[in-house]
Amino acid sequence: AVPRSPVVGAEEVVVGLRFRPVENAFYDQFAESAAHLVTGASLLADMFTVGADREGIAMAMRDAEHAADETTHEIVRTVNSTFITPFDREDIYALASGLDDVMDMMDEAVDMMLLYEVKELPSGLSEQVDLIRRCAEVTAEAMPRLRTMKELSEYWIEINRLENAGDKNHRRLRAHLFSGEYKAMEVLKLKDIAETLEAAIDAFEKVANTVEQIAVKES
C-alpha cells in the first residue's frame, strides 16, 4: 500500500521526488477535470439544437477538449513529481484517464455532427445528450467528495441508473433508425453518432466504477 502523507514542516527532496502535502492539488485537479466535462456536455447539447452554429460550437469544443487534456497532463505531472499520493497511483492514473476519455467521446460526437452535416435528428439522440449532461453534472458534484470519501455511493448508483437509461434509449434509437424512415446513408451517419453518445455514457460509468474501487480500498 502507498504510505499516507505525514505532517511535513518543510519541503524535502528525496531521490528526485518531493515529500509535500499534495492531497489538495490532486482533489482540485480532479474537480477541474470534471468541470471540463460539464462544459463539454453543454457544448454537445448546443450542437444538437435547431439552427446551431455548428462550426462555432465545434471550435469551442476543441478548445474545451484541449483545456481538459492540459488538466489531465497536469495530474500526471503531479503524480510523477510526488512521492506520497492520497491514494494508489494506479487509481489516480485510471481516474484521470477515465475523465479524459469522456471528454474525447463528447468531442468526437460534436466533430461527427459537423462533418456529417446531419439535418434531421431523431429525438432519441437528444435524450442521450440530456443523459450525458446529467452524468457530467453528477460527476462534477462527486469529485470534491473524494477528499473525505463520504456520500460517494449516491454518485455511482445514480451514474449506473443513468447508464441503464442510456442503454434502453440506445436500443430504441437503433430500432427507429432501421425502421425504414431514413435513407441508408443517413442511417449510417446517425448510427455512428448514436454509438459515440452511447460510448460517452459508458465512459461516465467507467469513471464511477473507478471511484467506487478507490472508495472501497480507502474504507
Side-chain angles (χ1 to χ4, degrees):
V2 177
R4 299 302 184 261
S5 297
V7 176
V8 180
E11 193 174 80
E12 300 178 64
V13 178
V14 180
V15 235
L17 298 175
R18 296 178 181 177
F19 277 116
R20 56 180 178 174
V22 295
E23 286 85 347
N24 288 339
F26 283 110
Y27 298 135
D28 291 344
Q29 287 165 348
F30 283 131
E32 181 179 314
S33 186
H36 290 310
L37 300 186
V38 174
T39 300
S42 178
L43 290 168
L44 179 64
D46 290 344
M47 198 69 166
F48 281 78
T49 59
V50 178
D53 174 13
R54 290 184 175 176
E55 289 190 4
I57 294 169
M59 289 180 63
M61 188 60 149
R62 281 192 288 272
D63 290 340
E65 195 272 336
H66 290 157
D69 276 347
E70 182 53 40
T71 300
T72 302
H73 296 324
E74 183 61 31
I75 293 172
V76 173
R77 286 193 291 267
T78 303
V79 173
N80 292 339
S81 65
T82 302
F83 186 76
I84 298 173
T85 57
F87 42 87
D88 288 348
R89 294 173 186 274
E90 293 79 6
D91 292 328
I92 292 174
Y93 287 128
L95 183 53
S97 176
L99 291 165
D100 188 61
D101 287 344
V102 175
M103 194 70 177
D104 287 344
M105 289 295 99
M106 292 192 291
D107 178 49
E108 183 177 335
V110 165
D111 201 36
M112 283 182 174
M113 286 287 290
L114 177 66
L115 296 175
Y116 287 175
E117 299 181 342
V118 177
K119 304 301 181 184
E120 295 184 24
L121 297 171
S123 61
L125 290 178
S126 295
E127 291 174 8
Q128 292 294 75
V129 171
D130 288 342
L131 288 173
I132 288 172
R133 292 191 72 172
R134 181 56 185 156
C135 283
E137 292 166 357
V138 171
T139 301
E141 291 167 1
M143 286 302 107
R145 299 203 291 274
L146 285 171
R147 294 175 185 270
T148 61
M149 295 293 169
K150 294 180 179 179
E151 299 179 357
L152 280 169
S153 62
E154 299 174 0
Y155 155 61
W156 61 68
I157 289 171
E158 176 63 6
I159 291 292
N160 181 257
R161 186 191 69 80
L162 293 168
E163 195 275 335
N164 287 337
D167 281 346
K168 292 178 182 178
N169 282 344
H170 185 64
R171 289 192 292 269
R172 288 195 295 268
L173 179 56
R174 282 175 61 90
H176 181 51
L177 291 179
F178 290 106
S179 66
E181 181 178 338
Y182 298 92
K183 295 180 180 179
M185 187 58 68
E186 289 301 301
V187 169
L188 293 175
K189 293 178 181 179
L190 293 170
K191 181 174 175 289
D192 272 357
I193 295 170
E195 289 179 348
T196 302
L197 295 178
E198 172 72 359
I201 297 174
D202 287 344
F204 272 113
E205 186 180 41
K206 184 178 178 181
V207 169
N209 290 341
T210 300
V211 171
E212 182 177 8
Q213 292 169 9
I214 293 170
V216 169
K217 289 181 182 180
E218 298 299 310
S219 64

